Amino acid sequence: MIIILVKKMISQFSKYLFITLFFSISVFADQTSPIGMSMKSGDGLPSKANLGLTNDTNLDSASFYRNLNSSTQGNFFEPKVLRGASSINVYKKGSLGTVLVVSKDGIGSGAILTNKAHIITNQHVVGKNKEVLVFFKKNTNEKPKFEEGILANVLKVDEVSDLALLYVPTEQTPSNMRPIPISDQIVDVGADAHAIGHPSNQLWTYTKGYISQVRNNFVWNEIHSANVLQIQTPINPGNSGGPLLNSNGELIGINSFKDIQNDSMNYAVGNSTIREFLSRKGSRFAELKKECEWKQIGDSYRTEDTDSLGPSFNSDIDFNCDGTTDMTLRVPLDKSKAVVSYIDSNKDGRIDVILYDQNRDKKINFSILDTDFDGEADHKGIHTSGSMIPDRVEPLTS
């Protein structure tokens, strides 16, 4: 489940924040106004009164690779189907090579590679889990039952390219599954691109578009890098880890992330990176930069605000040790009011992320975002899982 710009905006703060939100039209109308205001005390935010408040923002097989192509030979499209294969044929066969992946971190999709069955998906779908539940498609559109889930072992992961390889014993796989062969052809810009996955829990959904561009050594979300395919094909959270197919029904990519500012700019990790991942022994982990220890700037202070939140205690937080305020935490004296955090994610001195803890339970419910940093709120984040990263982002309508 894949929202890149928002992750960039708030990932550096996710270790520390605990804010939750509650959505209503009236709250949005009243609380979008701080977007674009200066982070400096006294200019759009309260000035310090030095009254002190305890800071509470403390917020964890070789033969398979050599024989990959032969293992899928004859298991997908027959030659007569390959000639002029239609979207209907791509979906009929491709959907039987697509699984639903469920982990403690959420749901995603996966592509069956062999009869064994080996399944490829995104690393962010499996997280740090050693086992995940996998659901195979039935011949009908009947939704699978929970007890039909099969435990799959996570054989290895690659945090850099955001890929993971799963394994389900042959005796536990259904007879109707269809491994998807990996294309060995260079992907051309303008070629058709077919995606199958489970966006927003809508199981085995098919979308079609085209390849917009091939971008090698593409970097996203700071730690990820791979040869990716930029696609116009619509994808959404739940498509993560699912197959991107050419018109021959061959795997050309694994759908991985999207640009939340542009619905037509979506990305899949390309077949060249997939082959590199499969040929590499063991897992590969990203080297994370050592983060600076956050600290509170000065003492907490009280302000007698007259807005909807009323008087509050406030704390200014510095996350990168440059001596400037990155976030101001505001705790209204009225305990029925939300705890709010104002964040300057791009260091331009203005608020561009607002997070709310409506129930003061250290879970995120809702956020307001200025994704283009023009000083105007333009998106809302819905955090149904309570995670710092929103489960979905929607345009903010008036």
Side-chain angles (χ1 to χ4, degrees):
M1 296 146 287
I2 352 206
I3 306 178
I4 297 310
L5 180 59
V6 174
K7 285 186 177 181
K8 285 184 177 180
M9 292 173 67
I10 63 178
S11 62
Q12 59 181 317
F13 309 115
S14 62
K15 184 178 179 181
Y16 313 108
L17 304 182
F18 58 79
I19 304 86
T20 311
L21 314 164
F22 177 78
F23 172 74
S24 71
I25 295 176
S26 60
V27 171
F28 267 125
D30 185 61
Q31 295 299 327
T32 57
S33 56
I35 285 287
M37 285 188 176
S38 170
M39 289 297 296
K40 296 179 181 178
S41 296
D43 185 6
L45 288 178
S47 59
K48 295 189 176 181
N50 200 26
L51 292 182
L53 175 69
T54 302
N55 194 318
D56 190 27
T57 57
N58 286 321
L59 309 156
D60 142 3
S61 92
S63 60
F64 161 67
Y65 304 121
R66 290 195 298 268
N67 298 293
L68 179 63
N69 289 334
S70 61
S71 68
T72 58
Q73 187 174 2
N75 289 327
F76 204 63
F77 285 123
E78 296 79 10
K80 64 178 181 180
V81 179
L82 283 172
R83 292 191 293 269
S86 68
S87 298
I88 294 175
N89 285 325
V90 170
Y91 175 74
K92 282 184 176 180
K93 297 294 179 69
S95 62
L96 295 175
T98 303
V99 298
L100 170 66
V101 180
V102 179
S103 75
K104 295 177 182 178
D105 299 294
I107 74 163
S109 308
I112 303 171
L113 297 181
T114 71
N115 282 320
K116 296 276 183 197
H118 294 87
I119 298 167
I120 190 168
T121 184
N122 281 136
Q123 184 273 329
H124 77 258
V125 170
V126 303
K128 295 183 179 181
N129 299 290
K130 301 300 182 183
E131 293 180 327
V132 295
L133 274 179
V134 169
F135 295 82
F136 293 85
K137 189 180 187 301
K138 301 181 179 181
N139 288 322
T140 65
N141 287 326
E142 179 186 356
K143 291 184 178 181
K145 300 177 182 178
F146 179 79
E147 58 268 23
E148 295 173 333
I150 299 172
L151 276 178
N153 295 319
V154 179
L155 294 184
K156 66 174 183 175
V157 299
D158 185 351
E159 284 186 339
V160 178
S161 61
D162 194 18
L163 294 174
L165 186 67
L166 315 179
Y167 173 71
V168 175
T170 308
E171 61 270 16
Q172 298 185 49
T173 60
S175 59
N176 68 336
M177 77 170 192
R178 299 276 185 143
I180 303 175
I182 301 175
S183 173
D184 57 5
Q185 302 297 313
I186 296 175
V187 179
D188 293 322
V189 174
D192 287 342
H194 311 254
I196 303 174
H198 316 289
S200 302
N201 297 331
Q202 300 304 306
L203 306 184
W204 283 280
T205 296
Y206 167 85
T207 55
K208 178 182 178 181
Y210 51 81
I211 304 295
S212 300
Q213 190 52 263
V214 179
R215 304 198 181 278
N216 294 327
N217 301 313
F218 189 84
V219 178
W220 73 100
N221 201 25
E222 299 180 352
I223 66 170
H224 299 308
S225 175
N227 296 338
V228 303
L229 305 177
Q230 179 184 326
I231 56 177
Q232 176 269 350
T233 312
I235 61 173
N236 287 286
N239 278 113
S240 293
L244 185 71
L245 308 172
N246 61 19
S247 291
N248 290 335
E250 300 167 328
L251 188 71
I252 57 175
I254 292 296
N255 301 311
S256 299
F257 61 101
K258 67 182 297 180
D259 183 340
I260 65 168
Q261 291 183 284
N262 193 327
D263 287 338
S264 64
M265 292 181 66
N266 307 302
Y267 298 86
V269 175
N271 53 351
S272 59
T273 294
I274 291 171
R275 287 187 177 277
E276 290 175 5
F277 166 64
L278 295 175
S279 64
R280 187 185 303 118
K281 292 184 178 181
S283 296
R284 181 173 64 156
F285 299 95
E287 295 182 5
L288 299 177
K289 295 181 180 179
K290 186 177 180 179
E291 295 183 356
C292 170
E293 290 294 328
W294 72 276
K295 63 181 180 180
Q296 180 174 326
I297 299 177
D299 296 321
S300 299
Y301 51 97
R302 174 172 171 167
T303 54
E304 300 299 329
D305 303 279
T306 58
D307 61 9
S308 63
L309 296 179
S312 62
F313 281 109
N314 307 275
S315 299
D316 294 333
I317 309 298
D318 174 14
F319 287 108
N320 58 4
C321 299
D322 64 356
T324 62
T325 299
D326 299 306
M327 180 189 83
T328 293
L329 177 68
R330 183 176 173 189
V331 184
L333 273 62
D334 184 345
K335 294 184 179 181
S336 68
K337 301 294 181 65
V339 173
V340 180
S341 283
Y342 303 101
I343 298 173
D344 172 19
S345 69
N346 68 338
K347 302 295 292 183
D348 68 351
R350 300 193 301 178
I351 299 167
D352 46 56
V353 177
I354 305 177
L355 303 168
Y356 298 82
D357 178 7
Q358 186 69 22
N359 301 318
R360 303 189 180 205
D361 60 358
K362 301 183 181 182
K363 292 181 181 180
I364 303 168
N365 300 122
F366 130 25
S367 57
I368 296 173
L369 313 168
D370 173 15
T371 60
D372 55 7
F373 308 113
D374 66 352
E376 299 290 337
D378 50 49
H379 282 78
K380 59 185 177 184
I382 308 301
H383 304 248
T384 54
S385 66
S387 168
M388 273 294 302
I389 305 301
D391 297 283
R392 68 180 188 275
V393 174
E394 301 173 350
L396 183 60
T397 57
S398 56

